Amino acid sequence: MKNSARHIAGIDFIRFAAAMAVLVYHLGLVGWSHQSTTIQLVGGDTFLSPIWPGAWFAFIGVQVFFVISGVVIAFSASKATAFTFLRDRIVRLAPAVWICAIGSLAIYLAYNLLPADEAIKAFVREVVFWPRGDWLDVVVWTLGIEISFYALVFALLCFQRFSWITHLAAVLAIVSLCFQATTISLGCLDPLVMGACQTIHEQERTTQLALLNHGGFFAIGIFLWLWLIEHRAKGHWWWAALALISSALQIADFTLLIRHSPWFGDRTIPDAVSIATSTGVWAIATGLIAYSIIRNENLQKMLGASGGMIVRNMGLATYPLYLIHVIWGSFLIRVLKDAGASLPVAIIGGMALIIGVSFLIARHVEPPLQRWLRSGITRIGDWLAQIGWLKFLFDRRPGANSAA
């Protein structure tokens, strides 16, 4: 694939498929197994059985997102100054969160899911991207991890050391592997050290934000960008292997965790088979990301203008779909159930409706707010560019490509 390509159609499709997997995971499995927002909205205080327990491995959609972020952020940053990178990340993340959080707050207040003051506090935490938790929607947990990764890339751009991104990927791979190996060994080798393992789990949000849990996934994305887009294939194989191992360990660890949860499904499945299933599905998705990069030009020709636009819209709809599928999706299931639909029909109908709503947000609601925000930040940048000591924000790294 040429380095000047601006759009990788296959990644949009895989991103949408990953969002669909997470949708199924939440509204088809975990939402019915504990006192979740879905249970509060649809099932009252009654615990229900998972609707599709056989799809427990759909959680890997999140890990696929992280790999895609590694590719996309490396590609975007390679063409950016520190300021344009920061601006574009804000414009990409903030409008959808604001829009979706407003709708979620309305649902919380309408159905008294939380006292009004607590709901408003959770809303504020969500719209300002507070990283530590207690948001309206639990899915926001991944945004703090994404932002931690963005911050590291932003720092490289500020110091005009973007060429060090391969070193960043290597560090993420090594640190993540050490963390995964440590937590697994603490949990398995000696009961006397279970207290230390418990301490690690109690600090899980801190380890997540430090990219200890998921750093390997971002590293894999960076290496895919390096090899398949930049065509720099020499070296880095050992670091990529470490990233693959750390990612596999993270998926294996989470798979073992959910085996003890009520939504797992067939409990006669051996541990090795369940781990192989989840890691295998993730590996296939990662392989498809690589293949879509390699075959991007052919894929775009095959899709044509109309097909390419459809796939592009799927990619754009992924982010709002991820943000609204739990709360808004549960609300739509409740509406359909109250209208007389059976629960399975209401769930399928709610999923279909939430997908449609996501496309509407991506096509018609987000863009005006994104244009307004981009314009405002650009004006601020024009003013900041006049301040001499902030010049590093606007200097392009040596040898950088022109912005696409």
Side-chain angles (χ1 to χ4, degrees):
M1 192 191 76
K2 294 181 179 179
N3 191 33
S4 59
R6 298 181 60 180
H7 175 227
I8 303 170
I11 284 184
D12 277 335
F13 184 82
I14 296 166
R15 181 189 281 128
F16 185 79
M20 289 295 297
V22 177
L23 171 70
V24 170
Y25 181 70
H26 284 132
L27 294 185
L29 285 85
V30 301
W32 306 101
S33 303
H34 54 86
Q35 191 59 29
S36 64
T37 304
T38 303
I39 287 289
Q40 289 179 280
L41 278 170
V42 183
D45 295 325
T46 303
F47 294 121
L48 303 175
S49 298
I51 306 303
W52 295 307
W56 57 268
F57 56 84
F59 73 87
I60 60 92
V62 169
Q63 284 83 349
V64 174
F65 285 146
F66 291 151
V67 175
I68 291 174
S69 287
V71 176
V72 172
I73 295 306
F75 180 69
S76 301
S78 69
K79 302 172 178 294
T81 65
F83 175 79
T84 57
F85 177 80
L86 178 62
R87 180 198 63 194
D88 292 348
R89 290 306 94 205
I90 294 173
V91 170
R92 181 70 185 105
L93 290 184
V97 167
W98 298 341
I99 294 162
C100 298
I102 290 171
S104 297
L105 178 62
I107 294 170
Y108 263 81
L109 296 177
Y111 288 91
N112 297 313
L113 300 181
L114 280 177
D117 60 332
E118 292 184 23
I120 293 172
K121 290 178 182 177
F123 167 80
V124 171
R125 284 190 288 268
E126 190 161 317
V127 298
V128 301
F129 294 88
W130 176 250
R132 304 298 304 186
D134 295 323
W135 315 283
L136 289 174
D137 199 325
V138 68
V139 300
V140 176
W141 73 273
T142 61
L143 298 187
I145 297 170
E146 294 274 0
I147 291 171
S148 291
F149 176 57
Y150 299 166
L152 294 175
V153 176
F154 176 69
L156 294 181
L157 292 171
C158 286
F159 289 100
Q160 297 188 30
R161 291 294 183 271
F162 182 76
S163 60
W164 291 3
I165 195 167
T166 53
H167 303 300
L168 171 62
V171 170
L172 290 175
I174 294 169
V175 171
S176 183
L177 177 60
C178 291
F179 176 78
Q180 297 299 335
T182 300
T183 55
I184 289 174
S185 64
L186 285 177
C188 300
L189 294 181
D190 188 348
L192 295 178
V193 297
M194 284 299 291
C197 189
Q198 180 64 29
T199 299
I200 291 175
H201 283 292
E202 288 173 353
Q203 301 298 321
E204 184 177 15
R205 188 56 182 168
T206 298
T207 63
Q208 288 176 348
L209 294 174
L211 301 182
L212 301 183
N213 303 71
H214 305 97
F217 299 103
F218 294 108
I220 290 169
I222 292 172
F223 287 124
L224 290 178
W225 163 80
L226 179 73
W227 297 332
L228 303 179
I229 297 178
E230 290 293 298
H231 302 295
R232 285 186 276 160
K234 294 182 179 180
H236 313 299
W237 294 101
W238 283 107
W239 308 124
L242 296 181
L244 284 170
I245 294 170
S246 71
S247 299
L249 288 176
Q250 195 278 328
I251 294 173
D253 187 38
F254 193 78
T255 299
L256 292 176
L257 175 65
I258 66 172
R259 273 187 61 85
H260 301 285
S261 302
W263 57 84
F264 180 76
D266 187 355
R267 296 185 179 279
T268 65
I269 300 175
D271 284 354
V273 174
S274 60
I275 290 172
T277 300
S278 53
T279 54
V281 172
W282 172 79
I284 291 171
T286 302
L288 289 174
I289 293 170
Y291 182 78
S292 69
I293 297 172
I294 295 170
R295 305 294 294 178
N296 183 52
E297 187 175 345
N298 291 339
L299 180 57
Q300 297 223 30
K301 288 180 180 178
M302 181 182 71
L303 290 171
S306 58
M309 181 59 68
I310 292 172
V311 173
R312 182 57 177 159
N313 287 334
M314 291 171 66
L316 293 173
T318 296
Y319 185 40
L321 174 60
Y322 178 76
L323 291 174
I324 68 175
H325 73 272
V326 173
I327 298 177
W328 293 30
S330 300
F331 164 72
L332 291 173
I333 293 171
R334 169 68 178 269
V335 170
L336 293 174
K337 186 169 177 285
D338 289 347
S342 65
L343 184 57
V345 171
I347 291 172
I348 294 173
M351 288 181 175
L353 287 173
I354 208 64
I355 293 169
V357 171
S358 300
F359 275 88
L360 288 175
I361 292 174
R363 286 288 294 166
H364 302 292
V365 184
E366 268 191 287
L369 187 54
Q370 288 175 327
R371 288 192 294 270
W372 171 81
L373 187 60
R374 178 182 294 275
S375 175
I377 296 175
T378 299
R379 286 196 295 270
I380 293 173
D382 292 340
W383 176 71
L384 293 176
Q386 308 304 314
I387 303 175
W389 63 273
L390 291 177
K391 189 175 182 292
F392 68 93
L393 291 173
F394 305 91
D395 287 341
R396 192 172 306 281
R397 68 182 183 88
N401 297 315
S402 300

